[in-house]
Amino acid sequence: MSHPIPAGVAAHVPAETTGFVFNHTMLRVKDPTTSLDFYTRVLGFSLIDQRHFDEAAFSLYFLAYLPAGTRIPADAGERAVWMAKLPALLELTHNHGSEDQDGAVYHNGNSEPRGFGHICVSVPDIEAACARFEQLEVPFQKRLSDGRMKSIAFIRDPDDYWVEIISSTPYSP
Amino acid sequence: MSHPIPAGVAAHVPAETTGFVFNHTMLRVKDPTTSLDFYTRVLGFSLIDQRHFDEAAFSLYFLAYLPAGTRIPADAGERAVWMAKLPALLELTHNHGSEDQDGAVYHNGNSEPRGFGHICVSVPDIEAACARFEQLEVPFQKRLSDGRMKSIAFIRDPDDYWVEIISSTPYSP
């Protein structure tokens, strides 16, 4: 890196963390139907598991980008172990009944009180991806043409969480 | 899956989303020194890039679990393209000066207003990992022994964001 290593960074990766995987990010969603539609139809994630806790009145939906033809283990225990080894899952939590509330239920972290900022999906052809989002009437937080950073966009999911879109190929607007 | 496919899930993965990658999750942090220490020394992430925007007074730090011996491209442009293809990066945003504020600066999403819930790291030996976190005096939100779900734990990062710890190997407490 062109900058000196910043303070705080460990001198080496601890041996005890071998095999650690950044498995997932969890977001609460108001209505799983609209969120599952957005993440599968618009963004191309696959639903790989759902877990329903009726007594505690919540459900979990796990989504991932899988290589074509991936076989999801049918056995729940086998599936849980398989999933735990994967990086980059998205977990959506649905507290039953939130879909019947009026208006927005969740806070996207980008107004006070701030914290979480966004998730990001990289795409091979960012202009084509953004044109398709327009066609699908996905709301934009920032179009490629907005602001100073012309090579990134932000779309908004059904709960208003921001999804950054970046190019995974060299791109100069 | 043992449940019917829920409403909203697309019948197939759209061809237009081929090559999409869930690249990163962004969290704002008060003090990059303490956060980089936590994510590298405690959790074993590697810092793969840092970007400083002095005029806008913020910095970005990108972390990842990399296979041992991975060579990070030295050229910034090459590195950006390489990074954009990776899944499961963690982006930490530091707004300059936040480290000098008193008390907590950011909201972890788990009290009102709720939204983002947590990130999750899977580990090959969850008992050893949790024993090490205890030894390193990492605060726990939920120990393995707390509550009903004895196979998961939650630790807290320096901004109080929750990090779920799950086992990536069959584990029955």
Side-chain angles (χ1 to χ4, degrees):
Chain A
M1 283 180 289
S2 42
H3 300 276
I5 294 171
V9 175
H12 61 271
V13 178
E16 298 94 325
T17 64
T18 301
F20 282 25
V21 171
F22 179 9
N23 177 251
H24 71 249
T25 295
M26 187 280 262
L27 300 176
R28 296 176 179 88
V29 301
K30 172 180 176 172
D31 183 341
T33 303
T34 56
S35 293
L36 289 169
D37 172 67
F38 177 82
Y39 284 102
T40 61
R41 181 179 56 89
V42 176
L43 282 181
F45 281 84
S46 293
L47 180 70
I48 63 170
D49 202 13
Q50 50 180 315
R51 301 177 192 165
H52 300 282
F53 301 85
D54 290 338
E55 209 181 314
F58 71 95
S59 295
L60 307 177
Y61 299 92
F62 290 89
L63 298 144
Y65 286 114
L66 296 178
T70 301
R71 196 190 63 85
I72 300 173
D75 174 75
E78 217 183 295
R79 191 166 63 245
V81 170
W82 168 77
M83 284 172 59
K85 292 187 202 297
L86 296 178
L89 306 185
L90 179 63
E91 176 185 11
L92 303 180
T93 294
H94 172 226
N95 290 301
H96 299 169
S98 58
E99 68 279 17
D100 298 325
Q101 288 182 239
D102 284 334
V105 172
Y106 294 116
H107 175 67
N108 75 6
N110 293 305
S111 56
E112 294 301 330
R114 294 191 302 169
F116 166 75
H118 59 261
I119 58 172
C120 173
V121 170
S122 67
V123 305
D125 184 338
I126 195 168
E127 290 190 1
C130 288
R132 178 171 167 269
F133 297 145
E134 296 280 6
Q135 196 183 4
L136 297 174
E137 299 182 348
V138 175
F140 276 77
Q141 177 64 27
K142 178 205 172 302
R143 290 183 165 78
L144 286 172
S145 55
D146 294 336
R148 285 216 227 163
M149 302 182 83
K150 306 293 187 200
S151 61
I152 63 173
F154 282 86
I155 57 176
R156 300 201 310 262
D157 95 341
D159 289 276
D160 222 24
Y161 294 117
W162 294 2
V163 182
E164 183 180 7
I165 307 295
I166 64 173
S167 175
S168 56
T169 54
Y171 174 68
S172 314
Chain B
M1 283 179 289
S2 42
H3 300 275
I5 293 172
V9 174
H12 61 271
V13 178
E16 298 94 325
T17 65
T18 302
F20 282 25
V21 172
F22 179 9
N23 178 250
H24 71 248
T25 295
M26 188 280 264
L27 300 176
R28 296 175 180 88
V29 301
K30 172 181 176 171
D31 184 341
T33 302
T34 56
S35 294
L36 289 169
D37 172 67
F38 177 81
Y39 284 103
T40 62
R41 181 179 56 90
V42 176
L43 283 181
F45 280 84
S46 293
L47 180 70
I48 63 170
D49 202 13
Q50 51 180 315
R51 299 177 192 166
H52 301 283
F53 301 85
D54 290 337
E55 208 182 312
F58 72 95
S59 294
L60 308 177
Y61 299 92
F62 290 89
L63 298 144
Y65 287 115
L66 296 178
T70 302
R71 195 190 64 85
I72 300 173
D75 175 75
E78 218 183 294
R79 190 166 63 246
V81 170
W82 168 77
M83 283 171 59
K85 292 185 202 297
L86 296 177
L89 307 185
L90 179 63
E91 177 185 11
L92 303 180
T93 294
H94 172 226
N95 290 301
H96 299 170
S98 58
E99 67 279 18
D100 298 324
Q101 288 181 238
D102 284 334
V105 172
Y106 294 118
H107 175 67
N108 75 7
N110 293 306
S111 56
E112 294 301 329
R114 294 191 303 169
F116 166 76
H118 59 261
I119 59 172
C120 172
V121 170
S122 67
V123 304
D125 183 338
I126 195 167
E127 290 190 1
C130 288
R132 177 172 167 270
F133 297 145
E134 295 280 7
Q135 197 184 3
L136 296 175
E137 299 182 350
V138 174
F140 276 77
Q141 176 64 28
K142 178 207 173 298
R143 289 182 166 78
L144 285 172
S145 54
D146 294 334
R148 285 217 227 162
M149 303 181 83
K150 306 293 187 201
S151 61
I152 64 172
F154 282 85
I155 56 176
R156 299 200 310 261
D157 96 341
D159 289 276
D160 223 24
Y161 293 117
W162 294 2
V163 182
E164 183 180 8
I165 307 295
I166 64 172
S167 176
S168 56
T169 54
Y171 175 69
S172 314

